[in-house]
Amino acid sequence: MDIEKIKSSGLLEQYVLGLLSPVEREKIDVLAAQHPALKSELNMLQQAMEEYANLHSVPPPTGLKKKIKDRINILEEESPRSIKVASTKPNNKIFKLFSGVAAAAIVGLLGLCYLLFDQQQSAKNRLAILEEKLNKIESSYTNLQSSKVQVETKFATLKDLGTHHVHLRGSGNAPNSLAVIYWNPDHKKGYLNVVEMPVAPHGHQYQIWADVNGKHLDMGLIDTIKGNSLVTIPFIENSKGFVITLEKEGGSQHPTVEKMYVKGEIEL
Amino acid sequence: MLQSGNSEVINLLYDDYSDALYGVVLRIVNSEEIAKDVIQDVFVKIWKNGSKYDPAKATLFTWMLNIARNTAIDVTRSSYFKKTLKNRELNSNVYNSGNFSWQNNVDQIGLQKLVNGLDEKYRVVVDLIYFKGYTQKEVQEHLDIPIGTVKSRVRIGLRELRKLFANIVMLPIIFSNYF
């Protein structure tokens, strides 16, 4: 078909006014796609009608926009759909509009990425802090666990019928002093509980001795001098009694008898 | 992602095109009350049918104008509309621009200029088709003129419009905001 003939036929005007049947429209669409001259003629006619429509412009009443948004929001919730551009041919308004939306989406996505990254960083930090806390709790739990075992062992020893309660009472140096030794030959265990004794003077330490057949054997220095804690002391076979003396710091080979503070014998 | 963008797109379209679309719809239904309902349907249709828009065939504005026109014209053909119209005894002479209630619109000045420039016989035909959805045959019957005359008036009318717009340097700022 001759392009000039079509241009003067009135078909394009009818097309623009929506007077053509779908089949006729399709023909024009095809021809316009092939012939730029036809296409630009159509565009100019369309533009004229756009201008004409524009002349009738009336601002819609306020509140209409919100009503439309509400309706679309409801529809969006019901069935999510996206406006797709049928053609990605550049240099037209819809393409630009949607590329704008796409750009906005990308910016939004980048923002989201940053936000997620940021959140991940702070999550990492929080995780590190939590791990540290967990480690502390774990080690303190281990400590508790082992001290629990100790306490249980001590308790078991204390209530054992074979355990002797040896009261070491104060001598002339400190009459009010009292220490108790729990002594179990069956399990070969011994504990010391210092109930009341004076604080060791500076440069001195208390030392505990076992009386084995009249000989005083060294059982070690006592660090914990006061309090109701049970201090484990070495078990010495055939002990008949115990004494605690005040010695110079670091202890002595033999007990200083004048400096004996408490003394007690195992009552068999 | 695009889902949230959709209502945003409608926002943009509304900001830039609602005046023109509402004006056309109002011109067609001749009732603010009905136009308000129609324009809602129009934008919902635009949103729903966005995927059907083909930029190769028409500008976005023309595509939306056609949706607005078709929706509004369909409404005028409904029995409800005809009843309402009768009850209100509205002035059905839509091509008498002097009777429009929205005369204060600035574009009416431009419209008036244009109307002065365009021969009444062409404008009547164009308006009957564009704003009333008449077919050429219906125009023929309505104006009692031969179909050939209707066709030639359509053709000349549109060419005249084109010329007038080329001469009147009063282009709407409608697209300038976009890009």
Side-chain angles (χ1 to χ4, degrees):
Chain A
M1 218 179 192
D2 186 11
I3 297 305
E4 287 309 312
K5 255 189 190 170
I6 294 171
K7 275 166 83 171
S8 57
S9 68
L11 275 173
L12 299 184
E13 290 79 0
Q14 293 178 46
Y15 177 100
V16 168
L17 285 177
L19 291 167
L20 296 185
S21 70
V23 179
E24 289 171 316
R25 290 171 61 88
E26 189 61 36
K27 277 183 194 165
I28 298 290
D29 282 336
V30 170
L31 285 169
Q34 291 166 352
H35 303 281
L38 210 58
K39 179 73 190 159
S40 76
E41 188 74 11
L42 259 186
N43 284 347
M44 279 190 284
L45 288 170
Q46 269 184 355
Q47 209 188 330
M49 284 318 292
E50 286 179 3
E51 304 288 7
Y52 189 51
N54 259 334
L55 290 178
H56 296 81
S57 284
V58 178
T62 50
L64 210 50
K65 187 178 181 181
K66 200 192 171 299
K67 276 186 185 172
I68 291 165
K69 275 171 76 175
D70 289 346
R71 274 180 66 178
I72 287 173
N73 283 341
I74 290 165
L75 287 170
E76 245 176 1
E77 278 162 26
E78 281 170 359
S79 62
R81 61 179 73 234
S82 59
I83 296 181
K84 287 183 191 111
V85 190
S87 157
T88 51
K89 190 182 166 192
N91 204 19
N92 60 58
K93 290 176 185 82
I94 191 74
F95 178 78
K96 286 178 186 171
L97 178 62
F98 283 106
S99 60
V101 172
I106 288 165
V107 169
L109 206 61
L110 285 175
L112 190 68
C113 284
Y114 175 74
L115 206 71
L116 288 175
F117 176 74
D118 198 47
Q119 280 180 351
Q120 198 211 12
Q121 285 304 106
S122 71
K124 264 187 184 171
N125 289 343
R126 280 209 304 274
L127 188 66
I129 292 166
L130 287 175
E131 273 176 347
E132 202 181 300
K133 272 188 182 171
L134 186 66
N135 283 343
K136 278 181 186 166
I137 289 168
E138 250 174 5
S139 70
S140 70
Y141 174 76
T142 310
N143 290 344
L144 277 174
Q145 196 79 344
S146 69
S147 61
K148 178 176 168 264
V149 171
Q150 286 176 20
V151 168
E152 276 173 350
T153 312
K154 285 173 187 175
F155 183 64
T157 307
L158 289 191
K159 68 177 185 179
D160 193 284
L161 290 175
T163 298
H164 303 285
H165 294 200
V166 186
H167 287 71
L168 312 185
R169 299 186 189 278
S171 66
N173 288 320
N176 295 327
S177 292
L178 175 66
V180 182
I181 281 175
Y182 301 92
W183 196 253
N184 192 311
D186 299 338
H187 300 298
K188 304 190 190 308
K189 284 194 185 317
Y191 301 109
L192 166 69
N193 176 26
V194 176
V195 180
E196 179 61 56
M197 275 177 84
V199 177
H202 187 71
H204 292 78
Q205 270 184 304
Y206 285 112
Q207 194 168 359
I208 186 165
W209 311 87
D211 177 5
V212 180
N213 301 323
K215 275 185 172 180
H216 286 105
L217 300 180
D218 177 27
M219 291 174 79
L221 298 163
I222 304 163
D223 292 326
T224 311
I225 197 62
K226 206 171 177 180
N228 283 319
S229 64
L230 279 181
V231 182
T232 304
I233 48 174
F235 182 82
I236 290 175
E237 213 60 76
N238 301 317
S239 297
K240 298 288 183 288
F242 309 94
V243 293
I244 294 175
T245 58
L246 187 68
E247 306 290 340
K248 63 182 190 303
E249 207 166 58
S252 306
Q253 292 280 27
H254 302 287
T256 310
V257 180
E258 306 84 59
K259 293 285 185 182
M260 188 183 71
Y261 271 67
V262 289
K263 178 184 180 175
E265 283 178 11
I266 299 168
E267 291 168 17
L268 297 169
Chain B
M1 220 55 192
L2 249 169
Q3 195 187 332
S4 59
N6 277 352
S7 39
E8 202 48 48
V9 169
I10 292 297
N11 255 344
L12 289 172
L13 294 179
Y14 188 90
D15 289 344
D16 285 353
Y17 294 108
S18 61
D19 288 13
L21 299 181
Y22 183 72
V24 167
V25 168
L26 190 59
R27 174 75 194 265
I28 293 167
V29 301
N30 213 4
S31 150
E32 283 190 9
E33 226 171 283
I34 296 170
K36 279 200 290 191
D37 290 340
V38 171
I39 206 76
Q40 286 184 50
D41 292 344
V42 167
F43 274 98
V44 169
K45 277 186 189 173
I46 289 169
W47 176 77
K48 275 187 177 172
N49 298 315
S51 58
K52 291 180 190 162
Y53 168 67
D54 184 356
K57 289 181 183 172
T59 63
L60 183 60
F61 187 26
T62 290
W63 179 72
M64 292 193 297
L65 275 173
N66 287 338
I67 290 176
R69 276 181 55 231
N70 292 336
T71 308
I73 289 165
D74 283 349
V75 167
T76 63
R77 286 171 181 168
S78 69
S79 53
Y80 167 77
F81 182 84
K82 282 171 183 163
K83 233 184 266 172
T84 318
L85 199 71
K86 259 183 203 165
N87 293 343
R88 289 159 158 249
E89 290 178 346
L90 285 173
N91 181 4
S92 61
N93 184 8
V94 294
Y95 4 97
N96 186 351
S97 60
N99 285 341
F100 292 148
S101 55
W102 52 91
Q103 269 199 323
N104 289 336
N105 193 297
V106 279
D107 279 332
Q108 293 300 311
I109 301 157
L111 184 61
Q112 202 56 52
K113 272 190 194 174
L114 185 107
V115 162
N116 293 342
L118 183 66
D119 198 320
E120 172 79 6
K121 64 185 178 196
Y122 301 127
R123 196 168 57 81
V124 168
V125 173
V126 170
D127 281 2
L128 279 174
I129 294 166
Y130 198 73
F131 292 118
K132 297 215 87 178
Y134 278 24
T135 62
Q136 293 179 104
K137 196 163 184 303
E138 282 169 332
V139 174
Q140 176 209 339
E141 285 161 5
H142 189 82
L143 297 178
D144 198 16
I145 50 173
I147 189 79
T149 308
V150 175
K151 286 188 176 179
S152 72
R153 283 184 188 177
V154 165
R155 192 168 57 83
I156 297 165
L158 247 68
R159 310 242 150 226
E160 287 298 305
L161 269 182
R162 221 182 91 187
K163 267 190 241 164
L164 281 166
F165 283 117
N167 294 337
I168 300 172
V169 191
M170 190 213 64
L171 295 181
I173 46 166
I174 193 155
F175 297 115
S176 57
N177 295 346
Y178 258 139
F179 312 112

